[in-house]
PDB file of all heavy atoms in Angstrom:
ATOM      1  N   ALA E  17      24.200 -60.105  52.595  1.00 98.00           N
ATOM      2  CA  ALA E  17      25.198 -59.528  53.500  1.00 98.00           C
ATOM      3  C   ALA E  17      26.049 -60.657  54.110  1.00 98.00           C
ATOM      4  O   ALA E  17      27.268 -60.478  54.267  1.00 98.00           O
ATOM      5  CB  ALA E  17      24.486 -58.720  54.612  1.00 98.00           C
ATOM      6  N   LYS E  18      25.402 -61.741  54.518  1.00 98.00           N
ATOM      7  CA  LYS E  18      26.165 -62.841  55.115  1.00 98.00           C
ATOM      8  C   LYS E  18      27.096 -63.515  54.095  1.00 98.00           C
ATOM      9  O   LYS E  18      28.216 -63.943  54.454  1.00 98.00           O
ATOM     10  CB  LYS E  18      25.207 -63.859  55.735  1.00 98.00           C
ATOM     11  CG  LYS E  18      25.874 -64.882  56.672  1.00 98.00           C
ATOM     12  CD  LYS E  18      26.435 -64.206  57.898  1.00 98.00           C
ATOM     13  CE  LYS E  18      26.970 -65.199  58.893  1.00 98.00           C
ATOM     14  NZ  LYS E  18      27.613 -64.541  60.059  1.00 98.00           N
ATOM     15  N   LEU E  19      26.653 -63.686  52.861  1.00 98.00           N
ATOM     16  CA  LEU E  19      27.495 -64.249  51.828  1.00 98.00           C
ATOM     17  C   LEU E  19      28.711 -63.337  51.584  1.00 98.00           C
ATOM     18  O   LEU E  19      29.825 -63.812  51.355  1.00 98.00           O
ATOM     19  CB  LEU E  19      26.719 -64.462  50.548  1.00 98.00           C
ATOM     20  CG  LEU E  19      25.706 -65.601  50.555  1.00 98.00           C
ATOM     21  CD1 LEU E  19      24.782 -65.518  49.338  1.00 98.00           C
ATOM     22  CD2 LEU E  19      26.435 -66.963  50.599  1.00 98.00           C
ATOM     23  N   ALA E  20      28.492 -62.051  51.602  1.00 98.00           N
ATOM     24  CA  ALA E  20      29.564 -61.089  51.316  1.00 98.00           C
ATOM     25  C   ALA E  20      30.515 -60.941  52.522  1.00 98.00           C
ATOM     26  O   ALA E  20      31.709 -60.736  52.371  1.00 98.00           O
ATOM     27  CB  ALA E  20      28.970 -59.736  50.968  1.00 98.00           C
ATOM     28  N   HIS E  21      29.949 -61.072  53.726  1.00 98.00           N
ATOM     29  CA  HIS E  21      30.723 -60.869  54.978  1.00 98.00           C
ATOM     30  C   HIS E  21      30.453 -62.061  55.916  1.00 98.00           C
ATOM     31  O   HIS E  21      29.765 -61.911  56.903  1.00 98.00           O
ATOM     32  CB  HIS E  21      30.339 -59.562  55.653  1.00 98.00           C
ATOM     33  CG  HIS E  21      30.471 -58.375  54.794  1.00 98.00           C
ATOM     34  ND1 HIS E  21      31.664 -57.853  54.381  1.00 98.00           N
ATOM     35  CD2 HIS E  21      29.489 -57.544  54.266  1.00 98.00           C
ATOM     36  CE1 HIS E  21      31.466 -56.758  53.649  1.00 98.00           C
ATOM     37  NE2 HIS E  21      30.166 -56.570  53.565  1.00 98.00           N
ATOM     38  N   PRO E  22      30.980 -63.233  55.569  1.00 97.00           N
ATOM     39  CA  PRO E  22      30.615 -64.428  56.357  1.00 97.00           C
ATOM     40  C   PRO E  22      30.989 -64.360  57.833  1.00 97.00           C
ATOM     41  O   PRO E  22      30.328 -64.997  58.645  1.00 97.00           O
ATOM     42  CB  PRO E  22      31.388 -65.559  55.660  1.00 97.00           C
ATOM     43  CG  PRO E  22      32.435 -64.859  54.822  1.00 97.00           C
ATOM     44  CD  PRO E  22      31.865 -63.546  54.448  1.00 97.00           C
ATOM     45  N   GLY E  23      31.970 -63.546  58.192  1.00 96.00           N
ATOM     46  CA  GLY E  23      32.356 -63.477  59.574  1.00 96.00           C
ATOM     47  C   GLY E  23      31.586 -62.439  60.419  1.00 96.00           C
ATOM     48  O   GLY E  23      31.693 -62.408  61.630  1.00 96.00           O
ATOM     49  N   ARG E  24      30.766 -61.601  59.759  1.00 98.00           N
ATOM     50  CA  ARG E  24      30.010 -60.592  60.503  1.00 98.00           C
ATOM     51  C   ARG E  24      28.690 -61.112  60.967  1.00 98.00           C
ATOM     52  O   ARG E  24      27.999 -61.863  60.258  1.00 98.00           O
ATOM     53  CB  ARG E  24      29.817 -59.367  59.591  1.00 98.00           C
ATOM     54  CG  ARG E  24      31.070 -58.608  59.244  1.00 98.00           C
ATOM     55  CD  ARG E  24      30.828 -57.363  58.402  1.00 98.00           C
ATOM     56  NE  ARG E  24      30.138 -56.330  59.147  1.00 98.00           N
ATOM     57  CZ  ARG E  24      29.957 -55.093  58.683  1.00 98.00           C
ATOM     58  NH1 ARG E  24      30.411 -54.781  57.453  1.00 98.00           N
ATOM     59  NH2 ARG E  24      29.346 -54.162  59.395  1.00 98.00           N
ATOM     60  N   PRO E  25      28.247 -60.712  62.135  1.00 98.00           N
ATOM     61  CA  PRO E  25      26.899 -61.051  62.605  1.00 98.00           C
ATOM     62  C   PRO E  25      25.833 -60.319  61.752  1.00 98.00           C
ATOM     63  O   PRO E  25      26.001 -59.126  61.495  1.00 98.00           O
ATOM     64  CB  PRO E  25      26.827 -60.563  64.058  1.00 98.00           C
ATOM     65  CG  PRO E  25      28.290 -60.272  64.422  1.00 98.00           C
ATOM     66  CD  PRO E  25      28.974 -59.940  63.157  1.00 98.00           C
ATOM     67  N   VAL E  26      24.829 -61.054  61.328  1.00 98.00           N
ATOM     68  CA  VAL E  26      23.787 -60.452  60.472  1.00 98.00           C
ATOM     69  C   VAL E  26      22.415 -60.765  61.084  1.00 98.00           C
ATOM     70  O   VAL E  26      22.149 -61.951  61.411  1.00 98.00           O
ATOM     71  CB  VAL E  26      23.848 -60.996  59.028  1.00 98.00           C
ATOM     72  CG1 VAL E  26      22.716 -60.418  58.195  1.00 98.00           C
ATOM     73  CG2 VAL E  26      25.194 -60.659  58.389  1.00 98.00           C
ATOM     74  N   ILE E  27      21.611 -59.754  61.246  1.00 98.00           N
ATOM     75  CA  ILE E  27      20.309 -59.910  61.901  1.00 98.00           C
ATOM     76  C   ILE E  27      19.234 -59.200  61.060  1.00 98.00           C
ATOM     77  O   ILE E  27      19.394 -58.037  60.750  1.00 98.00           O
ATOM     78  CB  ILE E  27      20.335 -59.336  63.318  1.00 98.00           C
ATOM     79  CG1 ILE E  27      21.414 -60.010  64.182  1.00 98.00           C
ATOM     80  CG2 ILE E  27      18.953 -59.514  63.993  1.00 98.00           C
ATOM     81  CD1 ILE E  27      21.753 -59.252  65.434  1.00 98.00           C
ATOM     82  N   ALA E  28      18.189 -59.925  60.719  1.00 98.00           N
ATOM     83  CA  ALA E  28      17.084 -59.368  59.981  1.00 98.00           C
ATOM     84  C   ALA E  28      15.874 -59.280  60.901  1.00 98.00           C
ATOM     85  O   ALA E  28      15.494 -60.258  61.542  1.00 98.00           O
ATOM     86  CB  ALA E  28      16.745 -60.219  58.752  1.00 98.00           C
ATOM     87  N   LEU E  29      15.261 -58.107  60.990  1.00 98.00           N
ATOM     88  CA  LEU E  29      14.033 -57.899  61.767  1.00 98.00           C
ATOM     89  C   LEU E  29      12.899 -57.742  60.777  1.00 98.00           C
ATOM     90  O   LEU E  29      12.821 -56.729  60.058  1.00 98.00           O
ATOM     91  CB  LEU E  29      14.160 -56.655  62.650  1.00 98.00           C
ATOM     92  CG  LEU E  29      15.327 -56.635  63.637  1.00 98.00           C
ATOM     93  CD1 LEU E  29      15.365 -55.293  64.372  1.00 98.00           C
ATOM     94  CD2 LEU E  29      15.280 -57.772  64.609  1.00 98.00           C
ATOM     95  N   VAL E  30      12.006 -58.758  60.732  1.00 98.00           N
ATOM     96  CA  VAL E  30      10.930 -58.736  59.709  1.00 98.00           C
ATOM     97  C   VAL E  30       9.598 -59.078  60.310  1.00 98.00           C
ATOM     98  O   VAL E  30       9.501 -59.807  61.313  1.00 98.00           O
ATOM     99  CB  VAL E  30      11.247 -59.720  58.551  1.00 98.00           C
ATOM    100  CG1 VAL E  30      12.525 -59.325  57.839  1.00 98.00           C
ATOM    101  CG2 VAL E  30      11.339 -61.142  59.052  1.00 98.00           C
ATOM    102  N   GLY E  31       8.551 -58.567  59.712  1.00 97.00           N
ATOM    103  CA  GLY E  31       7.196 -58.877  60.172  1.00 97.00           C
ATOM    104  C   GLY E  31       6.709 -60.211  59.617  1.00 97.00           C
ATOM    105  O   GLY E  31       7.292 -60.761  58.648  1.00 97.00           O
ATOM    106  N   ASP E  32       5.640 -60.728  60.214  1.00 97.00           N
ATOM    107  CA  ASP E  32       5.111 -62.024  59.733  1.00 97.00           C
ATOM    108  C   ASP E  32       4.510 -61.906  58.337  1.00 97.00           C
ATOM    109  O   ASP E  32       4.529 -62.852  57.562  1.00 97.00           O
ATOM    110  CB  ASP E  32       4.149 -62.627  60.723  1.00 97.00           C
ATOM    111  CG  ASP E  32       3.031 -61.671  61.199  1.00 97.00           C
ATOM    112  OD1 ASP E  32       3.051 -60.486  60.764  1.00 97.00           O
ATOM    113  OD2 ASP E  32       2.163 -62.080  61.983  1.00 97.00           O
ATOM    114  N   GLY E  33       3.944 -60.726  58.009  1.00 97.00           N
ATOM    115  CA  GLY E  33       3.387 -60.553  56.671  1.00 97.00           C
ATOM    116  C   GLY E  33       4.410 -60.731  55.583  1.00 97.00           C
ATOM    117  O   GLY E  33       4.210 -61.483  54.607  1.00 97.00           O
ATOM    118  N   VAL E  34       5.530 -60.030  55.727  1.00 97.00           N
ATOM    119  CA  VAL E  34       6.555 -60.127  54.706  1.00 97.00           C
ATOM    120  C   VAL E  34       7.245 -61.479  54.745  1.00 97.00           C
ATOM    121  O   VAL E  34       7.710 -62.007  53.720  1.00 97.00           O
ATOM    122  CB  VAL E  34       7.593 -58.992  54.848  1.00 97.00           C
ATOM    123  CG1 VAL E  34       8.531 -59.189  56.023  1.00 97.00           C
ATOM    124  CG2 VAL E  34       8.393 -58.794  53.561  1.00 97.00           C
ATOM    125  N   PHE E  35       7.337 -62.107  55.903  1.00 98.00           N
ATOM    126  CA  PHE E  35       7.953 -63.425  55.994  1.00 98.00           C
ATOM    127  C   PHE E  35       7.104 -64.463  55.277  1.00 98.00           C
ATOM    128  O   PHE E  35       7.629 -65.345  54.613  1.00 98.00           O
ATOM    129  CB  PHE E  35       8.187 -63.808  57.451  1.00 98.00           C
ATOM    130  CG  PHE E  35       9.289 -64.842  57.665  1.00 98.00           C
ATOM    131  CD1 PHE E  35      10.584 -64.545  57.303  1.00 98.00           C
ATOM    132  CD2 PHE E  35       8.993 -66.093  58.204  1.00 98.00           C
ATOM    133  CE1 PHE E  35      11.607 -65.479  57.492  1.00 98.00           C
ATOM    134  CE2 PHE E  35       9.987 -67.027  58.382  1.00 98.00           C
ATOM    135  CZ  PHE E  35      11.288 -66.720  58.007  1.00 98.00           C
ATOM    136  N   GLN E  36       5.768 -64.323  55.399  1.00 97.00           N
ATOM    137  CA  GLN E  36       4.901 -65.188  54.638  1.00 97.00           C
ATOM    138  C   GLN E  36       4.983 -64.904  53.127  1.00 97.00           C
ATOM    139  O   GLN E  36       4.900 -65.812  52.313  1.00 97.00           O
ATOM    140  CB  GLN E  36       3.444 -65.052  55.112  1.00 97.00           C
ATOM    141  CG  GLN E  36       3.198 -65.653  56.477  1.00 97.00           C
ATOM    142  CD  GLN E  36       1.717 -65.592  56.857  1.00 97.00           C
ATOM    143  OE1 GLN E  36       0.851 -65.386  56.017  1.00 97.00           O
ATOM    144  NE2 GLN E  36       1.450 -65.765  58.133  1.00 97.00           N
ATOM    145  N   MET E  37       5.160 -63.656  52.778  1.00 96.00           N
ATOM    146  CA  MET E  37       5.196 -63.280  51.367  1.00 96.00           C
ATOM    147  C   MET E  37       6.368 -63.923  50.648  1.00 96.00           C
ATOM    148  O   MET E  37       6.227 -64.455  49.553  1.00 96.00           O
ATOM    149  CB  MET E  37       5.263 -61.749  51.226  1.00 96.00           C
ATOM    150  CG  MET E  37       5.312 -61.271  49.793  1.00 96.00           C
ATOM    151  SD  MET E  37       5.379 -59.482  49.643  1.00 96.00           S
ATOM    152  CE  MET E  37       3.649 -59.052  49.961  1.00 96.00           C
ATOM    153  N   ASN E  38       7.556 -63.868  51.246  1.00 95.00           N
ATOM    154  CA  ASN E  38       8.725 -64.434  50.574  1.00 95.00           C
ATOM    155  C   ASN E  38       9.824 -64.924  51.488  1.00 95.00           C
ATOM    156  O   ASN E  38      10.698 -65.670  51.043  1.00 95.00           O
ATOM    157  CB  ASN E  38       9.288 -63.436  49.560  1.00 95.00           C
ATOM    158  CG  ASN E  38       9.652 -62.110  50.181  1.00 95.00           C
ATOM    159  OD1 ASN E  38      10.130 -62.024  51.299  1.00 95.00           O
ATOM    160  ND2 ASN E  38       9.369 -61.035  49.468  1.00 95.00           N
ATOM    161  N   GLY E  39       9.798 -64.521  52.742  1.00 97.00           N
ATOM    162  CA  GLY E  39      10.885 -64.898  53.648  1.00 97.00           C
ATOM    163  C   GLY E  39      10.946 -66.404  53.945  1.00 97.00           C
ATOM    164  O   GLY E  39      12.026 -66.970  54.040  1.00 97.00           O
ATOM    165  N   MET E  40       9.790 -67.038  54.067  1.00 98.00           N
ATOM    166  CA  MET E  40       9.789 -68.446  54.377  1.00 98.00           C
ATOM    167  C   MET E  40      10.416 -69.259  53.247  1.00 98.00           C
ATOM    168  O   MET E  40      11.209 -70.214  53.498  1.00 98.00           O
ATOM    169  CB  MET E  40       8.370 -68.920  54.669  1.00 98.00           C
ATOM    170  CG  MET E  40       7.759 -68.338  55.916  1.00 98.00           C
ATOM    171  SD  MET E  40       6.083 -68.886  56.250  1.00 98.00           S
ATOM    172  CE  MET E  40       6.405 -70.570  56.753  1.00 98.00           C
ATOM    173  N   ALA E  41      10.111 -68.888  52.029  1.00 98.00           N
ATOM    174  CA  ALA E  41      10.737 -69.592  50.873  1.00 98.00           C
ATOM    175  C   ALA E  41      12.253 -69.410  50.896  1.00 98.00           C
ATOM    176  O   ALA E  41      12.986 -70.361  50.571  1.00 98.00           O
ATOM    177  CB  ALA E  41      10.122 -69.076  49.585  1.00 98.00           C
ATOM    178  N   GLU E  42      12.711 -68.213  51.287  1.00 98.00           N
ATOM    179  CA  GLU E  42      14.147 -67.963  51.277  1.00 98.00           C
ATOM    180  C   GLU E  42      14.883 -68.728  52.385  1.00 98.00           C
ATOM    181  O   GLU E  42      16.102 -68.831  52.377  1.00 98.00           O
ATOM    182  CB  GLU E  42      14.447 -66.503  51.324  1.00 98.00           C
ATOM    183  CG  GLU E  42      14.180 -65.780  49.999  1.00 98.00           C
ATOM    184  CD  GLU E  42      14.754 -66.486  48.801  1.00 98.00           C
ATOM    185  OE1 GLU E  42      15.949 -66.788  48.796  1.00 98.00           O
ATOM    186  OE2 GLU E  42      13.996 -66.799  47.856  1.00 98.00           O
ATOM    187  N   MET E  43      14.146 -69.252  53.364  1.00 98.00           N
ATOM    188  CA  MET E  43      14.787 -70.126  54.345  1.00 98.00           C
ATOM    189  C   MET E  43      15.271 -71.414  53.648  1.00 98.00           C
ATOM    190  O   MET E  43      16.222 -72.041  54.121  1.00 98.00           O
ATOM    191  CB  MET E  43      13.809 -70.493  55.465  1.00 98.00           C
ATOM    192  CG  MET E  43      13.434 -69.329  56.389  1.00 98.00           C
ATOM    193  SD  MET E  43      14.868 -68.497  57.163  1.00 98.00           S
ATOM    194  CE  MET E  43      15.086 -67.091  56.059  1.00 98.00           C
ATOM    195  N   ILE E  44      14.665 -71.758  52.532  1.00 98.00           N
ATOM    196  CA  ILE E  44      15.161 -72.906  51.753  1.00 98.00           C
ATOM    197  C   ILE E  44      16.501 -72.535  51.106  1.00 98.00           C
ATOM    198  O   ILE E  44      17.408 -73.363  51.025  1.00 98.00           O
ATOM    199  CB  ILE E  44      14.119 -73.323  50.701  1.00 98.00           C
ATOM    200  CG1 ILE E  44      12.798 -73.696  51.344  1.00 98.00           C
ATOM    201  CG2 ILE E  44      14.657 -74.490  49.842  1.00 98.00           C
ATOM    202  CD1 ILE E  44      11.645 -73.948  50.396  1.00 98.00           C
ATOM    203  N   THR E  45      16.641 -71.270  50.676  1.00 98.00           N
ATOM    204  CA  THR E  45      17.943 -70.813  50.199  1.00 98.00           C
ATOM    205  C   THR E  45      18.993 -70.888  51.320  1.00 98.00           C
ATOM    206  O   THR E  45      20.136 -71.285  51.091  1.00 98.00           O
ATOM    207  CB  THR E  45      17.811 -69.379  49.651  1.00 98.00           C
ATOM    208  OG1 THR E  45      16.794 -69.320  48.634  1.00 98.00           O
ATOM    209  CG2 THR E  45      19.134 -68.861  49.102  1.00 98.00           C
ATOM    210  N   VAL E  46      18.559 -70.462  52.513  1.00 98.00           N
ATOM    211  CA  VAL E  46      19.458 -70.528  53.674  1.00 98.00           C
ATOM    212  C   VAL E  46      19.878 -71.988  53.904  1.00 98.00           C
ATOM    213  O   VAL E  46      21.055 -72.278  54.183  1.00 98.00           O
ATOM    214  CB  VAL E  46      18.803 -69.934  54.908  1.00 98.00           C
ATOM    215  CG1 VAL E  46      19.670 -70.178  56.151  1.00 98.00           C
ATOM    216  CG2 VAL E  46      18.579 -68.424  54.706  1.00 98.00           C
ATOM    217  N   LYS E  47      18.944 -72.914  53.800  1.00 98.00           N
ATOM    218  CA  LYS E  47      19.254 -74.336  53.980  1.00 98.00           C
ATOM    219  C   LYS E  47      20.270 -74.767  52.918  1.00 98.00           C
ATOM    220  O   LYS E  47      21.233 -75.481  53.228  1.00 98.00           O
ATOM    221  CB  LYS E  47      17.975 -75.161  53.830  1.00 98.00           C
ATOM    222  CG  LYS E  47      18.167 -76.684  53.810  1.00 98.00           C
ATOM    223  CD  LYS E  47      16.839 -77.411  53.553  1.00 98.00           C
ATOM    224  CE  LYS E  47      17.061 -78.903  53.339  1.00 98.00           C
ATOM    225  NZ  LYS E  47      17.538 -79.562  54.559  1.00 98.00           N
ATOM    226  N   ARG E  48      20.064 -74.351  51.679  1.00 98.00           N
ATOM    227  CA  ARG E  48      20.988 -74.778  50.621  1.00 98.00           C
ATOM    228  C   ARG E  48      22.433 -74.317  50.877  1.00 98.00           C
ATOM    229  O   ARG E  48      23.380 -75.051  50.614  1.00 98.00           O
ATOM    230  CB  ARG E  48      20.494 -74.236  49.288  1.00 98.00           C
ATOM    231  CG  ARG E  48      21.487 -74.506  48.150  1.00 98.00           C
ATOM    232  CD  ARG E  48      20.998 -74.177  46.802  1.00 98.00           C
ATOM    233  NE  ARG E  48      22.019 -74.476  45.782  1.00 98.00           N
ATOM    234  CZ  ARG E  48      21.785 -74.629  44.512  1.00 98.00           C
ATOM    235  NH1 ARG E  48      20.596 -74.481  44.046  1.00 98.00           N
ATOM    236  NH2 ARG E  48      22.780 -74.923  43.702  1.00 98.00           N
ATOM    237  N   TYR E  49      22.580 -73.072  51.344  1.00 98.00           N
ATOM    238  CA  TYR E  49      23.923 -72.509  51.570  1.00 98.00           C
ATOM    239  C   TYR E  49      24.300 -72.486  53.054  1.00 98.00           C
ATOM    240  O   TYR E  49      25.099 -71.657  53.456  1.00 98.00           O
ATOM    241  CB  TYR E  49      23.982 -71.112  50.951  1.00 98.00           C
ATOM    242  CG  TYR E  49      23.704 -71.095  49.457  1.00 98.00           C
ATOM    243  CD1 TYR E  49      22.481 -70.644  48.945  1.00 98.00           C
ATOM    244  CD2 TYR E  49      24.668 -71.564  48.540  1.00 98.00           C
ATOM    245  CE1 TYR E  49      22.229 -70.644  47.588  1.00 98.00           C
ATOM    246  CE2 TYR E  49      24.436 -71.556  47.177  1.00 98.00           C
ATOM    247  CZ  TYR E  49      23.177 -71.112  46.705  1.00 98.00           C
ATOM    248  OH  TYR E  49      22.940 -71.108  45.352  1.00 98.00           O
ATOM    249  N   LYS E  50      23.679 -73.354  53.807  1.00 98.00           N
ATOM    250  CA  LYS E  50      23.844 -73.317  55.252  1.00 98.00           C
ATOM    251  C   LYS E  50      25.310 -73.357  55.702  1.00 98.00           C
ATOM    252  O   LYS E  50      25.718 -72.608  56.596  1.00 98.00           O
ATOM    253  CB  LYS E  50      23.094 -74.485  55.890  1.00 98.00           C
ATOM    254  CG  LYS E  50      23.177 -74.509  57.438  1.00 98.00           C
ATOM    255  CD  LYS E  50      22.419 -75.690  57.985  1.00 98.00           C
ATOM    256  CE  LYS E  50      22.516 -75.753  59.493  1.00 98.00           C
ATOM    257  NZ  LYS E  50      21.802 -76.942  60.073  1.00 98.00           N
ATOM    258  N   ASP E  51      26.135 -74.209  55.088  1.00 96.00           N
ATOM    259  CA  ASP E  51      27.506 -74.304  55.483  1.00 96.00           C
ATOM    260  C   ASP E  51      28.246 -72.952  55.344  1.00 96.00           C
ATOM    261  O   ASP E  51      29.124 -72.657  56.139  1.00 96.00           O
ATOM    262  CB  ASP E  51      28.237 -75.340  54.654  1.00 96.00           C
ATOM    263  CG  ASP E  51      27.775 -76.768  54.976  1.00 96.00           C
ATOM    264  OD1 ASP E  51      27.116 -76.934  56.005  1.00 96.00           O
ATOM    265  OD2 ASP E  51      28.047 -77.675  54.185  1.00 96.00           O
ATOM    266  N   ARG E  52      27.879 -72.169  54.328  1.00 96.00           N
ATOM    267  CA  ARG E  52      28.530 -70.897  54.121  1.00 96.00           C
ATOM    268  C   ARG E  52      27.936 -69.802  54.963  1.00 96.00           C
ATOM    269  O   ARG E  52      28.517 -68.707  55.028  1.00 96.00           O
ATOM    270  CB  ARG E  52      28.416 -70.520  52.625  1.00 96.00           C
ATOM    271  CG  ARG E  52      29.120 -71.515  51.707  1.00 96.00           C
ATOM    272  CD  ARG E  52      28.940 -71.134  50.266  1.00 96.00           C
ATOM    273  NE  ARG E  52      29.374 -69.767  50.025  1.00 96.00           N
ATOM    274  CZ  ARG E  52      29.195 -69.149  48.845  1.00 96.00           C
ATOM    275  NH1 ARG E  52      28.610 -69.794  47.877  1.00 96.00           N
ATOM    276  NH2 ARG E  52      29.618 -67.926  48.674  1.00 96.00           N
ATOM    277  N   LEU E  53      26.811 -70.053  55.564  1.00 97.00           N
ATOM    278  CA  LEU E  53      26.100 -69.031  56.308  1.00 97.00           C
ATOM    279  C   LEU E  53      26.161 -69.279  57.844  1.00 97.00           C
ATOM    280  O   LEU E  53      25.421 -68.665  58.596  1.00 97.00           O
ATOM    281  CB  LEU E  53      24.640 -68.974  55.893  1.00 97.00           C
ATOM    282  CG  LEU E  53      24.362 -68.651  54.405  1.00 97.00           C
ATOM    283  CD1 LEU E  53      22.897 -68.805  54.081  1.00 97.00           C
ATOM    284  CD2 LEU E  53      24.854 -67.252  54.080  1.00 97.00           C
ATOM    285  N   SER E  54      27.071 -70.136  58.251  1.00 96.00           N
ATOM    286  CA  SER E  54      27.082 -70.558  59.645  1.00 96.00           C
ATOM    287  C   SER E  54      28.274 -70.068  60.471  1.00 96.00           C
ATOM    288  O   SER E  54      28.486 -70.538  61.582  1.00 96.00           O
ATOM    289  CB  SER E  54      27.023 -72.102  59.724  1.00 96.00           C
ATOM    290  OG  SER E  54      25.771 -72.551  59.212  1.00 96.00           O
ATOM    291  N   LYS E  55      29.053 -69.131  59.904  1.00 95.00           N
ATOM    292  CA  LYS E  55      30.159 -68.592  60.665  1.00 95.00           C
ATOM    293  C   LYS E  55      29.678 -67.355  61.401  1.00 95.00           C
ATOM    294  O   LYS E  55      29.612 -66.248  60.850  1.00 95.00           O
ATOM    295  CB  LYS E  55      31.333 -68.236  59.744  1.00 95.00           C
ATOM    296  CG  LYS E  55      32.560 -67.723  60.465  1.00 95.00           C
ATOM    297  CD  LYS E  55      33.677 -67.404  59.502  1.00 95.00           C
ATOM    298  CE  LYS E  55      34.905 -66.864  60.234  1.00 95.00           C
ATOM    299  NZ  LYS E  55      35.970 -66.463  59.320  1.00 95.00           N
ATOM    300  N   GLY E  56      29.328 -67.499  62.648  1.00 95.00           N
ATOM    301  CA  GLY E  56      28.769 -66.400  63.406  1.00 95.00           C
ATOM    302  C   GLY E  56      27.290 -66.253  63.205  1.00 95.00           C
ATOM    303  O   GLY E  56      26.690 -66.927  62.346  1.00 95.00           O
ATOM    304  N   PRO E  57      26.657 -65.365  63.946  1.00 98.00           N
ATOM    305  CA  PRO E  57      25.153 -65.286  63.920  1.00 98.00           C
ATOM    306  C   PRO E  57      24.601 -64.867  62.593  1.00 98.00           C
ATOM    307  O   PRO E  57      25.093 -63.975  61.916  1.00 98.00           O
ATOM    308  CB  PRO E  57      24.884 -64.197  64.979  1.00 98.00           C
ATOM    309  CG  PRO E  57      26.094 -64.156  65.873  1.00 98.00           C
ATOM    310  CD  PRO E  57      27.241 -64.492  64.983  1.00 98.00           C
ATOM    311  N   LEU E  58      23.534 -65.571  62.187  1.00 98.00           N
ATOM    312  CA  LEU E  58      22.628 -65.137  61.134  1.00 98.00           C
ATOM    313  C   LEU E  58      21.235 -65.415  61.653  1.00 98.00           C
ATOM    314  O   LEU E  58      20.802 -66.570  61.763  1.00 98.00           O
ATOM    315  CB  LEU E  58      22.879 -65.934  59.834  1.00 98.00           C
ATOM    316  CG  LEU E  58      21.832 -65.698  58.709  1.00 98.00           C
ATOM    317  CD1 LEU E  58      21.782 -64.206  58.316  1.00 98.00           C
ATOM    318  CD2 LEU E  58      22.131 -66.572  57.495  1.00 98.00           C
ATOM    319  N   ILE E  59      20.536 -64.342  62.003  1.00 98.00           N
ATOM    320  CA  ILE E  59      19.245 -64.447  62.711  1.00 98.00           C
ATOM    321  C   ILE E  59      18.139 -63.735  61.914  1.00 98.00           C
ATOM    322  O   ILE E  59      18.310 -62.586  61.517  1.00 98.00           O
ATOM    323  CB  ILE E  59      19.325 -63.836  64.131  1.00 98.00           C
ATOM    324  CG1 ILE E  59      20.491 -64.490  64.932  1.00 98.00           C
ATOM    325  CG2 ILE E  59      18.003 -63.987  64.865  1.00 98.00           C
ATOM    326  CD1 ILE E  59      20.813 -63.776  66.211  1.00 98.00           C
ATOM    327  N   PHE E  60      17.037 -64.460  61.719  1.00 98.00           N
ATOM    328  CA  PHE E  60      15.838 -63.873  61.155  1.00 98.00           C
ATOM    329  C   PHE E  60      14.797 -63.793  62.245  1.00 98.00           C
ATOM    330  O   PHE E  60      14.185 -64.801  62.634  1.00 98.00           O
ATOM    331  CB  PHE E  60      15.346 -64.740  59.984  1.00 98.00           C
ATOM    332  CG  PHE E  60      16.386 -64.941  58.882  1.00 98.00           C
ATOM    333  CD1 PHE E  60      17.266 -66.003  58.926  1.00 98.00           C
ATOM    334  CD2 PHE E  60      16.484 -64.036  57.855  1.00 98.00           C
ATOM    335  CE1 PHE E  60      18.233 -66.188  57.959  1.00 98.00           C
ATOM    336  CE2 PHE E  60      17.456 -64.181  56.868  1.00 98.00           C
ATOM    337  CZ  PHE E  60      18.330 -65.260  56.913  1.00 98.00           C
ATOM    338  N   CYS E  61      14.588 -62.608  62.776  1.00 98.00           N
ATOM    339  CA  CYS E  61      13.655 -62.402  63.861  1.00 98.00           C
ATOM    340  C   CYS E  61      12.285 -62.047  63.259  1.00 98.00           C
ATOM    341  O   CYS E  61      12.165 -60.972  62.651  1.00 98.00           O
ATOM    342  CB  CYS E  61      14.149 -61.288  64.811  1.00 98.00           C
ATOM    343  SG  CYS E  61      13.056 -61.014  66.216  1.00 98.00           S
TER     344      CYS E  61
END
């Protein structure tokens, strides 16, 4: 959603189980594309 709409605020509400399953690894994806994902809020709660 953030890649498609870089100017829109994007918020994900996720549990710790699913974050351990695959969300933590995708934070590395966020790191890779950080410059493109930094216009306005992108929050993983």
Side-chain angles (χ1 to χ4, degrees):
K18 193 65 175 177
L19 287 167
H21 304 292
R24 293 181 69 171
V26 177
I27 302 165
L29 304 177
V30 298
D32 50 358
V34 75
F35 203 63
Q36 288 185 16
M37 180 179 283
N38 54 39
M40 293 180 73
E42 287 312 306
M43 291 304 98
I44 301 172
T45 304
V46 172
K47 172 184 173 66
R48 173 171 181 164
Y49 299 105
K50 182 180 177 182
D51 290 346
R52 298 178 54 186
L53 301 173
S54 295
K55 184 180 178 183
L58 173 59
I59 304 169
F60 303 91
C61 182

